[in-house]
Amino acid sequence: MSDIVDVEVLENGCAIRVVWQDGRAARFHAVWLRDNALDPETRAENGQRLITVNAIPADIAVDGAAVRGDVVEISFRPEAKTVCFPATWLAANAYDHGADTFAGRLPEGAVPWDGSFEPERVTQPFDAVMTDDGALADWLGCVRSYGFARLTGGPTESEALLRVVERFGYVRETNYGKWFEVRTEVNPTNLAFTGLGLQAHTDNPYRDPQPTLQILYCIENSAEGGESLVVDGFAAAARLRDENPQGFALLSCHCARFEFRGQDGVRLRSRRPMIELGPDGELVAIRFNNRSTAPIIDVPYDQMAGYYAAYRHFAEIIDDPAMAPAFKLEAGESFIVDNTRVLHSRRAYAGEGTRWLQGCYADRDGLYSTLAALEEQERTAAQ
């Protein structure tokens, strides 16, 4: 949808209607067009606006519009200003469509999965991701689509996981440090530092904001057991919505509370829903961590029993083996999860042998920024 065949001024200049060659059409308001003008007086070279919304005349209107090759030329009154919009830009930014407000709908591009998902689909060699931008873009794209990706064949040395993060963003330092050790400890500050099995969970729901990415990197693993499992929290939430709509509404409309106080001088608390939705019903985040759930006090008395029934139902879905592919990390292997979507867990492992992992946190803004830049670079090279 790139070639425009017609443009019409509507409602005495309040809007225009654009028609593309394939018959699709879209309307655009005059104030929206003026606010998003691409001329150098409106936009700096870095893409940031040079005007405020209050600088646009309240009575802004389209004075005239015409198709000029592959652009639409629009003049505004009372400014007597003319601006050109590429046909491809208008197509990419069209908003004249029905609003999708379906509660619990997946974000654009998110692909749901269950226990039949094969982790090999989202696996890349460590060296390829470290040295080849194409492999890096493919790997980061897996995180965007599935919320999960793996690396194999990495070095078996301390802090190698930091190299992974540095390829796309920045480490999120916390009270656990820039990175943390995941192995059995005496008097551990966190149950992750034991050989116990762990229920599938998202990390650090007690932070505000919580880290949006987590990397776990295996340096040694000769212990029996300790397999890793991952669960698509968005798929689990969608299943709860289908099986128990009222329970889904309770977990998304009321806040849970989370707390961590396992270290001297640290008291982390947050108040957020277990299933967070955007104003338009889009799934935003899953927060599920039984170990760190504080007393829930923001649910009315007459809804608390129903809330706990929904909480139990959600946990049963998350614990369902049909939801969770399992794999054992070997030395030099690692995986990354979108910590707002994908839950991870671990089966118990024996005291004999060694299981040494390191973990760290990062944030999606760096990952998405790097991925967008790589994709733009690829498009430019293809032109």
Side-chain angles (χ1 to χ4, degrees), residues 270-299:
S270 74
R271 176 181 175 272
R272 291 288 188 275
M274 289 190 188
I275 301 174
E276 182 179 354
L277 306 179
D280 59 358
E282 182 177 278
L283 278 166
V284 172
I286 303 299
R287 295 177 185 83
F288 187 91
N289 190 318
N290 181 70
R291 291 170 290 143
S292 302
T293 302
I296 296 169
I297 60 175
D298 298 289
V299 180

Side-chain angles (χ1 to χ4, degrees), residues 167-207:
R167 259 311 250 156
F168 64 79
Y170 306 91
V171 170
R172 167 91 169 269
E173 189 167 357
T174 70
N175 58 293
Y176 299 121
K178 201 168 186 179
W179 76 94
F180 49 90
E181 309 287 354
V182 184
R183 53 184 171 184
T184 303
E185 294 181 355
V186 178
N187 299 321
T189 60
N190 192 302
L191 290 178
F193 308 148
T194 71
L196 298 174
L198 300 175
Q199 185 184 36
H201 60 281
T202 56
D203 258 34
N204 290 202
Y206 39 75
R207 296 190 191 279

